[in-house]
């Protein structure tokens, strides 16, 4: 099975997903690892800009579809998109390619519903994920209480996301402070709702609460699917 990673705009996120896939693979030799084709297209319009205008949103989405189709031509058997915001219209992407597109958002929600149904979830995510309720609405519909950062906390998250975008030194301190605030507000589980913040997931676990990292959930799902084939 050959996995296609549609890297959207951030090279570091694509690399991190491949790292998580390798860590999740029960390999005893090099040949036990998965075949992966990664396409990172930094020319895709920024998600935050795409949220502002309909034209830009359409351009962003069509660029994702074109990238997915490129991966299909490269011979992949399944596509993974390490970007939560891109999942807003994932059904349309799926309808335009002949191979399965893993739904990272649904996979993470399913894990929370299975393992943390009665817990209050603290959502740490970039602005578009929060404003469009990409996780929040589905969790609320499942009866799961969700708490999100206040305005100051969301600004700290945005800065951390931007640092990853521009390949700056990754400092998890602001994200840790936001997570502590969410825990003080009742969060019993932390949900890392931005792929760029996945690099801080291990650090967040030091706070003593379960951490659901959709990127790791996605990586484990891809490995499981590959082992079935």
């Amino acid at each position: 099975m050959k996995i296609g990673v549609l890297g959207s705009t951030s090279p570091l996120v694509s690399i991190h997903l491949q790292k998580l896939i390798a860590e999740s693979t029960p390999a005893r030799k090099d040949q036990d690892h998965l075949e992966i084709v990664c396409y990172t297209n930094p020319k895709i319009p920024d998600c935050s800009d795409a949220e502002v205008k309909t034209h830009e949103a359409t351009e962003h989405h069509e660029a994702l579809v074109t990238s997915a189709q490129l991966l299909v031509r490269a011979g992949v058997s399944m596509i993974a998109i390490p970007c939560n915001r891109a999942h807003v219209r994932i059904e349309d992407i799926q309808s335009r390619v002949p191979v399965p597109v893993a739904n990272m958002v649904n996979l993470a929600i399913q894990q929370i519903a299975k393992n943390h149904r009665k817990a209050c979830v603290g959502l740490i995510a970039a602005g578009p994920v929060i404003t469009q309720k990409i996780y929040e609405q589905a969790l609320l519909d499942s009866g799961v209480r969700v708490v999100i950062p206040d305005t100051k906390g969301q600004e700290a998250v945005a800065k951390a996301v931007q640092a990853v975008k521009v390949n700056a030194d990754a400092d998890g301190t602001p994200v840790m402070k936001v997570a502590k605030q969410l825990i003080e507000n009742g969060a019993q589980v932390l949900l890392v709702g931005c792929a760029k913040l996945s690099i801080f997931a291990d650090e967040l676990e030091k706070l003593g609460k379960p951490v659901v990292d959709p990127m790791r959930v996605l990586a484990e799902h891809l490995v499981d699917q590959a082992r079935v084939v």
Side-chain angles (χ1 to χ4, degrees), residues 135-177:
Y135 281 102
E136 188 176 359
Q137 193 58 57
L139 290 171
L140 291 173
D141 290 345
S142 299
V144 177
R145 181 174 166 240
V146 180
V147 291
I148 61 176
D150 58 19
T151 301
K152 185 177 180 180
Q154 200 57 52
E155 290 174 354
V157 170
K159 289 180 180 178
V161 170
Q162 183 61 27
V164 177
K165 284 184 178 183
V166 299
N167 201 23
D169 290 336
D171 180 10
T173 303
V175 178
M176 292 288 281
K177 289 181 179 179

Side-chain angles (χ1 to χ4, degrees), residues 8-210:
S8 188
T9 58
S10 179
L12 286 179
V13 173
S14 305
I15 293 168
H16 185 60
L17 177 59
Q18 292 176 78
K19 175 177 178 289
L20 293 175
I21 292 172
E23 291 176 349
S24 300
T25 303
R28 296 185 177 181
K29 57 184 183 299
D30 288 343
Q31 291 72 25
D32 290 338
H33 285 282
L34 305 187
E35 291 183 77
I36 299 175
V37 177
C38 179
Y39 178 52
T40 301
N41 182 4
K43 303 304 181 183
I44 293 176
D46 188 87
C47 288
S48 57
D49 292 337
E51 186 187 19
V52 178
K53 299 178 182 178
T54 302
H55 172 73
E56 291 174 344
T58 300
E59 185 180 0
H60 175 266
H61 178 69
E62 289 303 317
L64 290 174
V65 172
T66 299
S67 297
Q69 292 169 341
L70 183 150
L71 287 171
V72 171
R73 292 196 296 274
V76 304
S77 307
M78 176 175 282
I79 294 173
I81 308 176
C83 173
N84 292 278
R85 168 64 176 77
H87 284 65
V88 171
R89 296 177 64 187
I90 194 169
E91 290 83 3
D92 183 68
I93 297 173
Q94 177 63 85
S95 72
R96 295 165 70 179
V97 293
V99 301
V101 180
N103 193 317
M104 177 170 69
V105 171
N106 282 355
L107 290 168
I109 291 172
Q110 289 168 10
Q111 184 174 109
I112 291 172
K114 178 181 178 181
N115 299 328
H116 311 288
R117 177 175 291 276
K118 296 182 179 180
C120 175
V121 173
L123 175 59
I124 308 172
V129 174
I130 298 288
T131 57
Q132 297 189 28
K133 299 183 183 296
I134 291 174
Y135 281 102
E136 188 176 359
Q137 193 58 57
L139 290 171
L140 291 173
D141 290 345
S142 299
V144 177
R145 181 174 166 240
V146 180
V147 291
I148 61 176
D150 58 19
T151 301
K152 185 177 180 180
Q154 200 57 52
E155 290 174 354
V157 170
K159 289 180 180 178
V161 170
Q162 183 61 27
V164 177
K165 284 184 178 183
V166 299
N167 201 23
D169 290 336
D171 180 10
T173 303
V175 178
M176 292 288 281
K177 289 181 179 179
V178 170
K180 289 177 182 177
Q181 180 190 56
L182 293 175
I183 292 171
E184 290 173 358
N185 291 337
Q188 299 163 299
V189 176
L190 297 172
L191 171 58
V192 187
C194 177
K196 294 178 178 67
L197 300 180
S198 174
I199 61 174
F200 303 122
D202 290 344
E203 194 170 352
L204 288 169
E205 290 183 349
K206 297 176 183 178
L207 296 176
K209 299 293 183 181

